[in-house]
Amino acid sequence: MAGGAGKTGMRDTGAGRSGQISTLRALERKALWLSTWMIHNANNLRESRDGLKVGGHQASSASLATILCALYFRILRPQDRVAVKPHASPVYHAIQYLLGRQTRAKLENFRGFGGAQSYPSRTKDGGDVDFSTGSVGLGVAQTIFGSLVQDYVRAHGWGASRPEGRYIALAGDAELDEGNVYEALIEGWKHNIRNVWWVIDYNRQSLDAVIHEDLWSKFEVMFRNFGWDVVIIKYGRLMQQAFAEPGGGYLKSWIDTCPNPLYSALCFQGGAAFRKKLIADMGQHNDLCDLIGRRSDDELIALMLNLGGHDVESLLDAFEAIDHDRPVCFIAYTIKGAGLPFQGHKDNHAGLMTQTQMEQWRKAQNVREGFEWNAFEGLDVSRSSLESFLKTVPFVQGAGRQLHAPRVEVPERLAIPSASSISTQQAFGLILNELARGDSALAQRIVTCSPDVTVSTNLGPWVNRRGLFSRHQVADLFRHEKIPSAYTWEASPRGQHIELGIAEMNLFLLLSALGLSAPLNGERLLPVGTLYDPFIQRGLDALNYACYQDARFMLAATPSGITLAPEGGAHQSISTPLIGMGQPGLVSFEPAFAHELAVIMRWGFNFMQQDDGGSVYLRLSTRPLEQPPGEMLPGRAEDIASGGYWLREPGGAARAIIAYSGAVAPEAIEAAGLLGEDLRGVGVLAITSASRLYHGWHGEQAARRRGETSSSHAAALLARAPRDCTLVTVIDGHPSALAWLGSVCGHRVHALGVTQFGQTGTIADLYSYNGIDARAIAAAVRTIAPGRTERYFD
Ligand SMILES: Cc1ncc(C[n+]2csc(CCOP(=O)(O)OP(=O)(O)O)c2C)c(N)n1
Ligand SMILES: [Mg+2]
């Protein structure tokens, strides 16, 4: 066995084992009770406050309750990392409560402000949520990348003193409709992943309805195809015992061939309905009729509900049998809503028990009124044995499960590429190359990754020096054959670049996993990912997901805008500056010059490590620009990092200022020159980060509303422009990204930018076509600052 995750538990088959099973069954009942009560309680509160009643996912929770109990109370170790299907959040919280890891107050306030979250959230629910979930499919796929990062960390010689963990996803069956799951599966296979378990809650229901027949067989083939083991947990102990009785074979084949919707409907209808149907279909088999006849309606429905995923013993057997580190997919058969009045009903996703049903359910659970939150109420296992069992649960042994890693020292400054004409994309490659040449702590902890655009985003020099990561040595055959190539493509466990296939979703999930390495592995990594800017939109939900989890990474998106001119409309990005501003957890920058980028990257590596920091998005260009001569002025680096600086201060009598971002710098400067002969003192404001400026200004307004004094960088910059001058903004992106600047000090604005799908052409063609060339900028100034400037615009 290669991995340290190893066996999951001691396989005890004697009296100890049966005691354990009955304790687990009691806990399972309690977890289910608490989850339904929590939802009922929350909905009553909501209804009285807002008139809103929403589904609380009682059915989804019931579906997964046994599986979660088997895992959390017995199988999981503190080092294991789990993504729980979003709609099982109530039962997840109930289990944490039983383990003493969740407070009653939070449960009472489930779905309320500051209460336990509707979907498990690592930032809001705290320590034991390893991966947030909510947007289905992402948490599942995240486990693949989490395990890859664990391998990366250990291959680099870090964290060896800690036991290796498993990365486990509890997935709904309909989650596997999400394409990103398969993208991740392919990537996982390429990277030879280990220590991953996916447990599929195969309740054959999604939100709207009962799903297609035989999906399991497709899953099975697919997972095996990608090198996974597949374990099907279909029949519980009661079923297995019944199958061994005379006539049991007929029962088994009836179950196996029963269509999903029918099985679900019969579960909803109950034991009598099952009896009727079984006799109608198989009444000619006397021994089967006897088998059924020996059971009351209650016993018959208990038997038919005893699918593998509802039988803790069968689940433990399946989990404990795994003694290797290969990835495993468990397909656990369940009934959505099992045990509750709407079990199996196709509409049960948002189903809620009525007051009367809840009352009956409470009595059936032996829970006295007023004792609903009591963890030990109404169980047939003594409080003391439950308490001593809970104390020995492996998952809660040891210190907290969230780890910490020291800060990685970032040098005082990053070397600025010296070329006189260079693009920000080239500068990015050179800055990383310079880091790669040295052996600073920063260089050691940087991990780069890219979805098949490593070379075309200028990561090549870094990869040449630092190598590709793979758990096994892989030689560069071209090099071996002495075929000249600019790039070394050699992989080893020491490599610092993770090469991905094209799927951008995977890039963001990997960045998310790398960016959580400090809390999950106790080892800080500083991930840098590259992609083409327009394709951020392809992975946007995963980017949002990474930020929601507070993963920390740096994203270099290049080329961007229409400035990639001849590449054409399909590769041009227009609205990404707005994503950069609108995405919480992400700070975006769009520098024009190499020295700005060096300052921003340095700032970014620090920001990624601050408790109140976040991730960084660099929107970079392939357009080489003449670099401004001379040294940076004092204070300039701070201004660049804060979002902007005056490239040319406005004169006291200035009637116009031009604010630009990124690759259109030469046009802004040229326009100011054109205007300068007649309009005196036109200022040029370099916006390095609209997002930093905006958030600073927004924060200032919020502070003022609270009665605090505050000032923002945007306000400080714009206060230097005369009050009545006009502001022309220009960006190779959506104009609204900068248009708001006028509101800071009340300047009139004319916002230029790109609002339509692009064209191919030269930069000059496209800037002119979209009205962001020097002429158009100057013309915009003319419309809002009329004066003697007309002669330039004929
Ligand atoms: C990306 C995304 N799309 C849609 C939804 C809305 N949604 C929530 S649950 C669900 C179906 C879940 O079915 P399954 O995964 O089988 O879980 P079950 O309800 O059976 O527990 C859908 C479509 C979502 N949460 N995320
Ligand atoms: Mg389902």
Side-chain angles (χ1 to χ4, degrees), residues 49 119 181 201 276 298 393 456 464 491 502 513 555 748:
R49 283 188 203 134
Y119 310 112
V181 169
D201 175 8
K276 199 164 150 209
D298 284 351
V393 165
S456 48
N464 278 347
I502 309 171
L555 184 67
R748 276 177 298 155

Side-chain angles (χ1 to χ4, degrees), residues 266-489:
L266 290 170
C267 285
F268 175 70
Q269 289 168 312
F274 261 118
R275 184 183 309 280
K276 199 164 150 209
K277 183 67 184 153
L278 282 166
I279 290 171
D281 287 356
M282 315 273 277
Q284 70 276 25
H285 303 296
N286 290 339
D287 42 5
L288 175 64
C289 291
D290 291 347
L291 187 157
I292 301 167
R294 285 192 293 278
R295 288 162 169 89
S296 68
D297 284 351
D298 284 351
E299 285 167 339
L300 188 56
I301 186 70
L303 172 64
M304 302 309 270
L305 282 175
N306 184 242
L307 294 168
H310 294 308
D311 188 74
V312 80
E313 216 173 339
S314 305
L315 288 165
L316 288 187
D317 283 351
F319 295 142
E320 289 175 348
I322 306 301
D323 59 359
H324 56 78
D325 65 358
R326 289 191 303 280
V328 186
C329 171
F330 299 89
I331 302 177
Y333 276 71
T334 55
I335 295 293
K336 188 159 167 176
L340 306 180
F342 40 58
Q343 63 191 5
H345 196 294
K346 70 178 178 58
D347 304 339
N348 66 9
H349 188 79
L352 280 172
M353 281 194 258
T354 61
Q355 289 289 0
T356 319
Q357 286 172 330
M358 201 61 207
E359 200 48 26
Q360 284 164 357
W361 169 238
R362 181 178 65 72
K363 286 183 183 140
Q365 296 301 306
N366 290 328
V367 173
R368 288 166 294 161
E369 218 175 335
F371 291 80
E372 291 87 353
W373 296 108
N374 188 327
F376 305 102
E377 175 78 1
L379 297 177
D380 47 12
V381 174
S382 74
R383 181 184 179 129
S384 62
S385 56
L386 273 178
E387 278 176 338
S388 52
F389 178 89
L390 286 170
K391 276 198 199 105
T392 60
V393 165
F395 181 72
V396 290
Q397 305 306 310
R401 298 174 61 256
Q402 291 302 315
L403 307 173
H404 299 279
R407 264 191 88 256
V408 174
E409 192 59 39
V410 178
E412 271 306 299
R413 58 191 295 275
L414 300 183
I416 300 169
S418 58
S420 62
S421 174
I422 189 172
S423 71
T424 46
Q425 176 179 313
Q426 288 167 324
F428 168 76
L430 290 173
I431 291 168
L432 278 180
N433 183 44
E434 198 51 37
L435 276 170
R437 280 155 52 97
D439 205 27
S440 60
L442 174 63
Q444 284 169 24
R445 295 283 170 157
I446 288 176
V447 194
T448 57
C449 50
S450 185
D452 203 21
V453 290
T454 297
V455 170
S456 48
T457 55
N458 255 303
L459 267 181
W462 164 270
V463 178
N464 278 347
R465 292 188 189 281
R466 293 282 165 163
L468 296 160
F469 170 72
S470 163
R471 280 203 291 120
H472 308 291
Q473 196 79 31
V474 186
D476 180 347
L477 190 118
F478 275 69
R479 202 172 181 181
H480 192 253
E481 294 292 324
K482 301 199 168 44
I483 301 172
S485 161
Y487 303 103
T488 312
W489 213 244

Side-chain angles (χ1 to χ4, degrees), residues 730-741:
V730 57
I731 183 171
D732 176 5
H734 201 276
S736 56
L738 297 183
W740 61 273
L741 279 167

Side-chain angles (χ1 to χ4, degrees), residues 57 59-61 63-64 85-88 119 133-138 171-178 180 200-209 211 334 336-337 348-349 541:
H57 308 124
S60 282
S61 276
S63 186
L64 202 61
K85 126 186 137 165
H87 304 89
Y119 310 112
T133 55
S135 176
V136 298
L138 296 180
D173 41 9
E175 278 199 74
L176 272 72
D177 285 339
E178 289 287 359
N180 81 279
I200 300 173
D201 175 8
Y202 194 56
N203 60 21
R204 291 147 294 135
Q205 273 188 253
S206 58
L207 192 159
D208 284 335
I211 62 175
T334 55
K336 188 159 167 176
N348 66 9
H349 188 79
D541 197 25

